[in-house]
Amino acid sequence: MKKIIAGNWKFNKELRNKERAREFIEKLEKEIAGIENVEVKVFPHNLVLPYLAGKTKKVKLGAQDLHWTEDGSFTSAQFSACDIVNLGVKQVLIGHSETRFYFGVDEKKVALKLKAALKEGILPIICIGEDIKEKEEGKTKQVLEKQIKEGILPALAEFSAESKPEFLIGYEPIYAIAGFAKLRGKEPKSARIEDIEFAHGTIREVFSRAGYSEVKILYGGSSKPENAKELLSQAFIDGLLVGTASWSLPSFLQMIRIGESLG
């Protein structure tokens, strides 16, 4: 089974430049032409996504977020699900930790966004994970169960057992992300393999009880070239959701090649 490596360009200034973004993608496409064991995804900023859409072969492009409505009084810079499809893009991030923290995306909004994406046939990567306070209080399982039951399963319930939609989960242990830990006045803690395995096991258990026995989970807690081999070697990790390490082409390629070597 192919590993998935997805790069989130976030609000990176350099990669919001259309020419720089085009150059990055063109070089990436060339470098991964012979890659067979890794599926590569990139989530650019909305400013450059329309400029890149339709110009990739191996790289699967996605939007960083979406709005749950198609029309109405919602002053926003977000794409709707139809906007994304009209661009020729078929993937989207939903519930990323930064949208939850900075923009108040709660489980109700995650469910609305997810429902809109699935309705249009868009493949979502739904991000969940506990913060450093919840981790220290031993609430990992409780938090993950709540996020799945309140933010994901209500949207999936719209579909019959015969037409279950495809989706990916992005597990982000927020306590391992430096920026969020420091906002809490804490030092970031690297997620231990046993903690990641426990979280992934919890996620799969909750979905299994809901009738979803096969769920792919990407790990998204400060993955980088230095830890990519250890992470991708774990059978329970289906891939990586990469943040800042995907902003550098050599760094991102190194992680992709590590994944390829393990295939």
Side-chain angles (χ1 to χ4, degrees), residues 172-200:
E172 299 181 289
I174 301 170
Y175 62 85
I177 302 173
F180 285 118
K182 290 177 179 177
L183 286 170
R184 291 281 197 183
K186 306 278 188 178
E187 285 300 315
K189 297 181 179 180
S190 296
R192 301 180 303 171
I193 290 297
E194 53 264 41
D195 290 336
I196 301 172
E197 184 173 15
F198 172 79
H200 284 217

Side-chain angles (χ1 to χ4, degrees), residues 4-16:
I4 298 168
I5 298 184
N8 179 7
W9 284 3
K10 305 190 182 189
F11 203 57
N12 179 266
K13 184 177 181 180
E14 185 178 2
L15 293 172
R16 297 202 313 271

Side-chain angles (χ1 to χ4, degrees), residues 227-247:
N227 60 18
K229 184 174 182 179
E230 180 182 29
L231 292 168
L232 291 170
S233 297
Q234 309 304 317
F236 58 86
I237 294 178
D238 296 301
L240 303 175
L241 179 56
V242 188
T244 56
S246 72
W247 300 352

Side-chain angles (χ1 to χ4, degrees), residues 135-152:
K135 169 67 175 174
E136 289 177 342
E137 293 175 352
K139 293 182 178 179
T140 295
K141 184 171 184 176
Q142 178 181 337
V143 170
L144 295 176
E145 286 185 337
K146 181 176 186 294
Q147 290 174 331
I148 294 169
K149 290 178 178 179
E150 296 183 10
I152 302 176

Side-chain angles (χ1 to χ4, degrees), residues 10 12 16 25 55 59 62 81 91 93 104 111 163 167-168 173 204 215 240 247 260:
K10 305 190 182 189
N12 179 266
R16 297 202 313 271
I25 289 294
K55 295 180 173 64
V59 177
Q91 308 196 51
L93 297 176
S163 61
F167 61 91
L168 303 173
R204 290 193 167 98
V215 176
L240 303 175
W247 300 352
E260 177 73 0

